[in-house]
Amino acid sequence: MVPVFDAAAVLAAVSPADANAIVREAFERHARGEWEMPAKVYVDAGPEAVEASGAPGDFRAMPARGGGLATLKWVTSFPGNSAHDLPVVTGALLVSSSATGELVAILECASVTSLRTGAAAAVSASALAPESAATVGVIGSGVNGVFAARALAAAGYGAGVCCDVRAESAEALAAELGWQVGDRAEAAAQDVVVTVTPGHEPVILAAELRAGQHLATLGADAAGKAEVERDALARCRLFCDEWRQASGGGELSGAAAAGEVGPGDVAELGPVLLGDAPGRVGDDEVTLFDSTGLAIQDLAIAHAVLGAWREGRIEAPNVRL
Ligand SMILES: NC(=O)c1ccc[n+]([C@@H]2O[C@H](COP(=O)([O-])OP(=O)(O)OC[C@H]3O[C@@H](n4cnc5c(N)ncnc54)[C@H](O)[C@@H]3O)[C@@H](O)[C@H]2O)c1
């Protein structure tokens, strides 16, 4: 019998503040070598996705192991789906015991993804933004932009400026958090700026960068996507979640492919959190954290959901497979 956790159960189990704490711990455990994570595998969805949704899509298989559990997230990115009222991100997180190999849970994965993606932005800001940073700009107030804003608010940041090409998305997020709606340039001028667009065009411009800002770029999580003008990277001290993944399919992948940025130019967040690598070196720097989304972040959420279930805080139907 395997418990199946739907999105409501996942979100009832883990608050944005909880996610911030456990995702930070996941980065630290991974950096210490306690949690392991083989490379993420991309599977192109092929012409069917283009025909059905008008845009390419892909599947991602993301395995991780740590703390007695092994997880595999099978998740999509079908950006064209939003025009057809279908989810961009969908799939399941399989959770197995690393003691017996038995499958112990199945989790709805868009909720897991949103919680841990938003948390990565907040963890990066707490580690890399100057002490004085307060205000937030959210560029792209869709599914994951909402969770990034919630995570930053839970970490004590705000007020904020929410921007989206769909005005109603920015308005809904601003209303939820008591923040303002603004245009792209207004959002990009805030102390902490999180970008969560599909990554088709730059939304962070070199000429607009200001000393002391922290940028968390979340939207570019596959090759060919970027949210930051290439010239802006030279002004930033660069960080990523994992160089292997970020250089192949993140904000930095274009610059990495062009030989403009190499592993020596970019620090991973986990060692920074442990104090094993330098973070921000001065208040006048601009820091940029390239998040591509790590399987260990999903593993952290799985631990928290199972913990809440075992404590009786959430319920889930059991299925016999
Ligand atoms: N780094 C990670 O861990 C991670 C995790 C999940 C998703 N993502 C990526 O984040 C991106 C967003 O995913 P989502 O699920 O939130 O999608 P979504 O469609 O729900 O949200 C994207 C939002 O960006 C808005 N937008 C598009 N172009 C814009 C622009 N130029 N300026 C302002 N807003 C703009 C859209 O209107 C939409 O509301 C995708 O590329 C996805 O692959 C990254």
Side-chain angles (χ1 to χ4, degrees):
M1 300 293 284
V2 177
V4 178
F5 298 91
D6 64 12
V10 171
L11 297 176
V14 184
S15 70
D18 296 334
N20 290 348
I22 58 183
V23 165
R24 180 187 177 104
E25 197 182 323
F27 278 114
E28 293 177 355
R29 288 187 185 280
H30 182 237
R32 280 195 217 102
E34 294 168 18
W35 285 13
E36 70 173 78
M37 182 179 65
K40 175 177 180 174
V41 174
Y42 288 88
V43 181
D44 191 275
E48 294 92 335
V50 180
E51 280 163 31
S53 73
D58 65 70
F59 299 88
R60 295 135 193 228
M62 303 177 64
R65 184 187 67 80
L69 296 177
T71 52
L72 174 66
K73 188 163 79 169
W74 178 242
V75 61
T76 61
S77 177
F78 276 50
N81 274 4
S82 49
H84 304 275
D85 280 337
L86 291 169
V88 174
V89 174
T90 186
L93 182 74
L94 303 179
V95 186
S96 301
S97 161
S98 52
T100 66
E102 289 170 294
L103 187 66
V104 296
I106 301 173
L107 278 63
E108 188 281 331
C109 82
S111 52
V112 172
T113 299
S114 294
L115 278 168
R116 59 74 149 162
T117 301
V123 171
S124 79
S126 300
L128 298 169
E131 285 283 315
S132 59
T135 61
V136 176
V138 182
I139 305 180
S141 304
V143 173
N144 287 288
V146 165
F147 275 85
R150 288 174 182 163
L152 286 161
Y157 292 97
V161 175
C162 307
C163 148
D164 199 292
V165 291
R166 292 185 303 197
E168 64 275 18
S169 299
E171 283 161 11
L173 178 58
E176 177 186 324
L177 295 176
W179 292 0
Q180 303 290 314
V181 174
D183 63 20
R184 185 206 57 75
E186 287 167 326
Q190 304 306 308
D191 298 341
V192 174
V193 183
V194 56
T195 59
V196 205
T197 72
H200 300 321
E201 67 214 331
V203 291
I204 298 289
L205 309 183
E208 294 174 352
L209 292 177
R210 169 169 73 65
Q213 283 188 302
H214 174 67
L215 314 173
T217 63
L218 310 186
D221 60 350
K225 296 183 177 184
E227 299 181 290
V228 179
E229 263 188 352
R230 186 75 70 78
D231 287 353
L233 297 180
R235 170 74 177 88
C236 299
R237 182 176 287 274
L238 301 174
F239 300 87
C240 68
D241 48 14
E242 191 203 39
W243 171 252
R244 174 182 60 183
Q245 199 167 289
S247 59
E251 183 62 48
L252 301 177
S253 58
E260 293 167 12
V261 168
D265 304 314
V266 184
E268 293 183 344
L269 184 60
V272 172
L273 294 172
L274 292 180
D276 293 340
R280 169 178 289 272
V281 172
D283 279 356
D284 59 342
E285 285 191 327
V286 178
T287 46
L288 182 152
F289 171 64
D290 176 8
S291 155
T292 53
L294 301 185
I296 50 149
Q297 297 169 238
D298 302 312
L299 173 61
I301 303 289
H303 273 289
V305 170
L306 278 176
W309 178 66
R310 289 188 183 121
E311 288 165 11
R313 290 196 284 118
I314 55 167
E315 293 184 349
N318 282 298
V319 295
R320 186 179 296 284
L321 296 177

